[in-house]
Amino acid sequence: MRINLIGQRNSSGIGNHFGSFATALASLDLVGSCVHELDFQDPNAIISAAQNSTDQDVTISFVGLNIHDLFQGLRIQWVVFESTRIPVDVLRSADLADVVWVPSAWGRDVLIANGIDAGKIDVVHEGVDHDRFHPYGRVSESRPFRFLVVGKYEIRKSYPEIFSAFAAEFGNNPAVELVMKSDYFRDGNIKAQQMIADLRSHAFENWRLNWGYVDLATIADMYRTADVFLSAPRGEAWGLPIIEAAASGLPIISTMYSGQAEFLQPVQTSVISVDYDMGAVDCPEYQGYYPFPDSNWGEWAVPKIDSIRHSMRFAYENHQNLAPIALANSAVIRREFGWNASADQAVEALESRGINLG
């Protein structure tokens, strides 16, 4: 048998997901020799693999391809999304698949609400690189208290609310700083200037922005030189920077809605939850990526600025108590949500579907 994985290794979130999971699955003695990666942008390789597929094969697609009409065997679509309404192309690929994998119980509930049969859905977590993202090697240094934000510059990440809250609570306080690692996959220079203008409009200067590509080793160091990870996403399929920060031993400020709740609930003793209201998807870029004929993009969590502000103050004043709890919780994250755990969970899901991997 073959286990075909269709995706692409790259620096995007889904590229990280594909590459990390593929490596972990291939490392398992039980199935490693069966794993074959297929680049979704190489149609000849996909057609060749499809023509040679058998009823014994398993094909797992990380992108919205109609694998049902191409491959024999069990066809699995691994889907990710960020709002209560699933984009048309994603929903179509899920509907056509034999089995749908989703990384969280929240994702499963949203799939069901969008009409996907509950019996064909399995929850298979994404993960974190526990060898790279860990709390060891933290350097004691004289510096301001550091809140760290990592994520694309977009409305979904709630940067306007974060900037407003920080300005109101700590603006120009030399004892506190806001450090950000951000980028965008399109019109990067324009988006960078927009982000800088947004920051300057809030009239505080105790911030530092790292824009554009940064290698993983540098990002890991950023986690280990921060005090608190600050995030208030409207919606996440999984929340890669959040789980990386948790694995690195940081107390987390976050909304507890959508995919990140899957791994934050077990370590909630070092998580400060941000209050939110459910609201309509309000991002023109998101709406452009996922057009709906009825102009209804569903809802996501809109964080409350005062709650972000109070969460930052609590984290700042209680850091001595939160830090050792977050350190202990990092071991839970690395043990239960490493990519090897994701691969194990995938094998269990396949066996539960009657796939003989022995």
Side-chain angles (χ1 to χ4, degrees), residues 64-315:
L65 294 179
N66 181 9
I67 57 175
H68 186 274
D69 290 346
L70 291 173
F71 289 85
Q72 298 183 59
L74 185 70
R75 293 149 298 200
I76 301 173
Q77 184 69 49
W78 207 335
V79 297
V80 294
F81 43 83
E82 291 104 7
S83 83
T84 60
R85 194 162 190 207
I86 300 175
V88 174
D89 290 344
V90 176
L91 190 62
R92 182 181 299 113
S93 63
D95 191 48
L96 288 171
D98 300 316
V99 175
V100 184
W101 284 0
V102 69
S104 69
W106 170 82
R108 184 178 188 275
D109 291 343
V110 173
L111 279 174
I112 294 170
N114 279 259
I116 299 298
D117 179 7
K120 64 186 286 183
I121 305 170
D122 293 330
V123 174
V124 178
H125 298 149
E126 293 186 43
V128 66
D129 182 348
H130 53 63
D131 291 327
R132 183 180 298 278
F133 300 105
H134 55 75
Y136 310 121
R138 291 184 65 89
V139 178
S140 178
E141 56 183 336
S142 178
R143 58 167 175 75
F145 188 92
R146 184 172 295 167
F147 289 95
L148 175 65
V149 181
V150 177
K152 293 192 295 295
Y153 180 61
E154 58 184 351
I155 289 174
R156 183 171 64 85
K157 299 292 187 179
S158 301
Y159 279 103
E161 289 85 355
I162 288 173
F163 295 164
S164 295
F166 186 87
E169 193 64 33
F170 295 113
N172 292 322
N173 180 344
V176 184
E177 65 180 357
L178 182 66
V179 175
M180 294 151 286
K181 158 62 187 78
S182 190
D183 56 24
Y184 203 71
F185 57 86
R186 182 183 299 170
D187 299 325
N189 291 335
I190 295 174
K191 294 290 285 189
Q193 293 307 311
Q194 289 175 347
M195 186 173 186
I196 291 170
D198 192 2
L199 279 159
R200 289 174 174 167
S201 73
H202 288 82
F204 66 93
E205 299 179 358
N206 45 334
W207 58 268
R208 179 158 50 87
L209 172 62
N210 296 277
W211 180 269
Y213 173 78
V214 174
D215 61 77
L216 292 177
T218 301
I219 292 177
D221 285 340
M222 292 180 71
Y223 293 128
R224 287 191 287 270
T225 55
D227 296 296
V228 173
F229 188 77
L230 173 57
S231 179
R234 282 160 157 73
E236 295 280 7
W238 183 245
L240 191 61
I242 305 173
I243 196 172
E244 290 172 349
S248 301
L250 289 179
I252 305 294
I253 295 173
S254 178
T255 48
M256 290 288 279
Y257 170 80
S258 67
Q260 74 272 23
E262 190 82 8
F263 58 81
L264 289 181
Q265 286 289 353
V267 297
Q268 58 185 297
T269 50
S270 55
V271 177
I272 305 165
S273 179
V274 173
D275 296 334
Y276 60 87
D277 293 315
M278 294 301 294
V281 172
D282 55 352
C283 176
E285 290 167 328
Y286 185 94
Q287 294 170 354
Y289 302 146
Y290 305 118
F292 281 94
D294 59 358
S295 299
N296 174 12
W297 286 267
E299 292 186 320
W300 53 17
V302 181
K304 297 181 178 181
I305 293 174
D306 283 347
S307 183
I308 300 175
R309 180 176 177 179
H310 296 154
S311 296
M312 286 192 296
R313 173 58 64 178
F314 181 86

